[in-house]
Amino acid sequence: MGVLSQILHVVATVIVFLGAVPLVVAVLQFLLVGLQRFRHLYEDRPPYTPRTAVLIPAWNEAPVLTSSVEGLLAMHYPRGRLRVVVVDDASTDATPEVMRALRDRHPGRVVHLRRENGGQGKAHTLNHGLAHVLDDDWAEAVLVMDADVVFDRDALLRMTRHLADPEVGAVTAYIKEGSGKQGNYLTRYIAFEYITAQAAARRAQNVLGAVACLAGGAQLHTRSSLEAIGGRIDTSTLAEDTVTTFETQLGGRRVVFDGYATVLAEEPGDLTGLWKQRLRWARGNLQVTHRYRRLWFRPWKRREGHRLGSFFFGLIWFALLATPVLLTLSSASLLYLYFTDAERSWQLFHWLWVVNLVCYLLIILMAAVVDPGTFRRCWREALIYPGIVSTCILVVTALPTVFLPLLERAGLLTESGAPQPLMVLVYAWMGLALPLAWCAKLLTGTRMRFLAPVLLHLVGYGSLLAACLVAAWVQERRNAELKWDKTEKTGKVAAGR
């Protein structure tokens, strides 16, 4: 073997294990969760009830507004210290009539603002409401939420207690997928995703002292913090909530995630709606990445009053954004090694998937501990979250002495030196799953739509999110229009309570 060939094999070996980076980083986040107690976020936090204006952007939200507003007013919070402001973004349904009835039932506590020229997006709608709320000095805090979100009775009290600390500028809650028994396989996938992406990841970010995003459906700000960032929400990106989160921390104010303040939200129940939502989120995150490009991996920025530049925070951020590239490169390296050194490729493949298996088992176990109630509802989807094919690969590579002889007897593996189609397929699977997930989304608009869930189960929900990220890269490169594709709501959360 020549020097160049040796170098290529070393490089390929390193690249193979990049395929495990997203899961390894996820496990590290879970391990940080246990350290949250040392941040003392919840101890000695007596009730604190600032005058709070709840700001709800609404476009054609008639099916959910009544339950949302009534639920807010029924929360455990002083009656005279809570107002609900609904900003009607030129709705064409019964939203005005619904709001008129609510305003009549709760005079002085419910405000209806209507924009006659709407359709510019959530950020513009919020800014219309913020201008009204900040026009007088009544509001000491502003809670921004979505119309379909249903708060637990004590959620706002749990959030506002952190604002007693003058260093805290904003607080976000744990948003759970809330369709319950009215949900389907897709909402259960989302429910498991939210345990990892919110309940665990944002607790870990509390430990790091840098929170990536205030959940758009439940973000509480102090008035002074909002005024410090200009009293307006950014309108130049599709990730206005993330920009607000970063700007709050860049201004020297802390952002806190309270995992005990829980709210329920209706999430998409079909692939078309999910794709639109996640494409918007992914494009927004790419825009944020570019906007704050001089911030990443600069730990000395801590001296400026924030920790957004820390190495671990950057690792978490980019491990997610780079997932499609890491998986594709890992598969390509395995295929190169397979055709040049089959024995070495099998050893690397075996250890890669053993690492993935250990990491994924840890994630499942820790998710069951972090939110046992939600996990009981979605444990089946948790087990096949990587996809049925990937789950089978995990099991086979963990116990090769048991399963490989069975595959040989079935004629799927041979001892000949010729390339074996099954091995080529398996080695390429991590990269191949992404375009197949995209195909599942495409099937939803055809007569073959009944095959979309089958294909998604095979390739995995995680592969769909990675494919969506690739689509976001493409749209950003093309400078596609910043379009707010709103997710339609049906009121399943309120109905399921």
Side-chain angles (χ1 to χ4, degrees), residues 16-187:
V16 164
F17 285 100
L18 292 179
V21 167
L23 281 179
V24 171
V25 171
V27 169
L28 292 176
Q29 287 188 84
F30 268 101
L31 295 177
L32 284 177
V33 170
L35 301 178
Q36 186 180 232
R37 68 181 64 183
F38 299 109
R39 296 288 291 175
H40 305 293
L41 295 174
Y42 307 112
E43 296 89 343
D44 302 321
R45 298 287 181 187
Y48 176 66
T49 56
R51 295 189 300 272
T52 302
V54 183
L55 196 57
I56 307 176
W59 178 78
N60 289 355
E61 302 281 9
V64 299
L65 275 173
T66 298
S67 59
S68 294
V69 174
E70 294 286 3
L72 286 168
L73 297 178
M75 286 193 300
H76 301 315
Y77 205 81
R79 178 182 176 87
R81 303 184 75 80
L82 186 68
R83 289 181 185 173
V84 178
V85 180
V86 176
V87 187
D88 178 358
D89 192 38
S91 295
T92 57
D93 68 349
T95 292
E97 290 75 14
V98 170
M99 288 309 306
R100 190 176 302 113
L102 286 167
R103 190 177 55 193
D104 291 343
R105 281 201 300 273
H106 305 282
R109 302 190 70 198
V110 175
V111 178
H112 177 213
L113 302 178
R114 181 167 173 85
R115 300 182 71 207
E116 295 301 335
N117 298 314
Q120 296 170 297
K122 182 179 179 180
H124 288 277
T125 306
L126 287 174
N127 285 333
H128 185 82
L130 280 174
H132 171 84
V133 169
L134 300 179
D135 188 49
D136 59 45
D137 60 0
W138 184 87
E140 298 169 322
V142 178
L143 173 66
V144 177
M145 60 172 282
D146 292 332
D148 65 298
V149 169
V150 176
F151 278 66
D152 283 354
R153 292 295 180 91
D154 63 350
L156 183 56
L157 274 177
R158 289 183 179 276
M159 295 174 73
T160 56
R161 59 180 172 164
H162 298 282
L163 300 187
D165 183 346
E167 294 185 357
V168 175
V171 182
T172 190
Y174 172 26
I175 296 186
K176 297 185 179 186
E177 197 291 315
S179 59
K181 294 181 180 180
Q182 297 196 38
N184 59 14
Y185 76 98
L186 195 57
T187 59

Side-chain angles (χ1 to χ4, degrees), residues 184-260:
N184 59 14
Y185 76 98
L186 195 57
T187 59
R188 291 191 292 273
Y189 274 127
I190 296 172
F192 177 71
E193 176 200 0
Y194 281 8
I195 300 178
T196 60
Q198 290 197 52
R202 288 179 180 164
R203 280 182 168 94
Q205 291 164 18
N206 276 343
V207 175
L208 296 175
V211 175
C213 183
L214 290 157
Q219 48 179 294
L220 177 70
H221 303 267
T222 64
R223 182 191 186 98
S224 60
S225 179
L226 282 174
E227 291 176 337
I229 62 174
R232 293 179 59 81
I233 302 298
D234 177 73
T235 59
S236 64
T237 74
L238 290 172
E240 77 291 333
D241 45 6
T242 307
V243 171
T244 301
T245 309
F246 274 55
E247 290 298 323
T248 298
Q249 293 169 100
L250 289 172
R253 297 170 184 81
R254 287 171 49 214
V255 172
V256 174
F257 168 73
D258 192 320
Y260 298 103

Side-chain angles (χ1 to χ4, degrees), residues 464-476:
L464 180 74
L465 298 184
C468 193
L469 184 52
V470 173
W473 289 342
V474 173
Q475 288 204 2
E476 282 299 291

Side-chain angles (χ1 to χ4, degrees), residues 185-455:
Y185 76 98
L186 195 57
T187 59
R188 291 191 292 273
Y189 274 127
I190 296 172
F192 177 71
E193 176 200 0
Y194 281 8
I195 300 178
T196 60
Q198 290 197 52
R202 288 179 180 164
R203 280 182 168 94
Q205 291 164 18
N206 276 343
V207 175
L208 296 175
V211 175
C213 183
L214 290 157
Q219 48 179 294
L220 177 70
H221 303 267
T222 64
R223 182 191 186 98
S224 60
S225 179
L226 282 174
E227 291 176 337
I229 62 174
R232 293 179 59 81
I233 302 298
D234 177 73
T235 59
S236 64
T237 74
L238 290 172
E240 77 291 333
D241 45 6
T242 307
V243 171
T244 301
T245 309
F246 274 55
E247 290 298 323
T248 298
Q249 293 169 100
L250 289 172
R253 297 170 184 81
R254 287 171 49 214
V255 172
V256 174
F257 168 73
D258 192 320
Y260 298 103
T262 58
V263 301
L264 301 179
E266 180 179 340
E267 299 298 336
D270 62 85
L271 284 176
T272 300
L274 179 68
W275 184 270
K276 288 181 180 179
Q277 182 193 65
R278 299 315 172 88
L279 183 62
R280 184 178 73 242
W281 292 4
R283 287 192 66 192
N285 286 337
L286 292 174
Q287 292 159 6
V288 168
T289 303
H290 178 73
R291 179 175 182 145
Y292 297 102
R293 58 192 178 278
R294 294 184 177 85
L295 178 67
W296 305 111
F297 301 107
R298 288 172 169 80
W300 56 86
K301 292 290 186 179
R302 180 175 177 178
R303 294 194 295 270
E304 299 179 7
H306 65 84
R307 300 182 181 182
L308 293 173
S310 70
F311 174 81
F312 198 21
F313 182 75
L315 179 63
I316 292 171
W317 185 274
F318 283 96
L320 178 63
L321 287 185
T323 295
V325 175
L326 297 178
L327 297 181
T328 302
L329 287 177
S330 183
S331 287
S333 296
L334 279 171
L335 288 173
Y336 166 75
L337 290 170
Y338 178 66
F339 287 106
T340 57
D341 189 345
E343 183 177 352
R344 182 185 183 90
S345 69
W346 165 251
Q347 292 173 348
L348 293 174
F349 176 81
H350 171 70
W351 285 111
L352 169 65
W353 283 85
V354 166
V355 171
N356 282 337
L357 175 62
V358 171
C359 288
Y360 198 67
L361 288 177
L362 287 172
I363 289 172
I364 289 177
L365 290 173
M366 289 186 282
V369 173
V370 169
D371 188 348
T374 301
F375 186 81
R376 282 193 294 270
R377 179 163 64 92
C378 63
W379 67 269
R380 296 176 184 83
E381 284 70 23
L383 291 177
I384 60 172
Y385 191 88
I388 293 174
V389 173
S390 291
T391 302
C392 291
I393 295 174
L394 288 169
V395 174
V396 170
T397 51
L399 300 169
T401 57
V402 175
F403 291 101
L404 291 185
L406 297 177
L407 293 175
E408 290 176 356
R409 285 199 292 271
L412 297 175
L413 294 177
T414 66
E415 296 183 358
S416 66
Q420 301 176 43
L422 177 62
M423 295 305 297
V424 172
L425 175 64
V426 168
Y427 283 7
W429 182 252
M430 289 194 300
L432 186 61
L434 273 64
L436 289 176
W438 179 66
C439 289
K441 180 262 178 183
L442 292 181
L443 285 173
T444 58
T446 71
R447 294 180 180 180
M448 306 288 285
R449 63 176 65 89
F450 64 93
L451 290 176
V454 176
L455 186 54

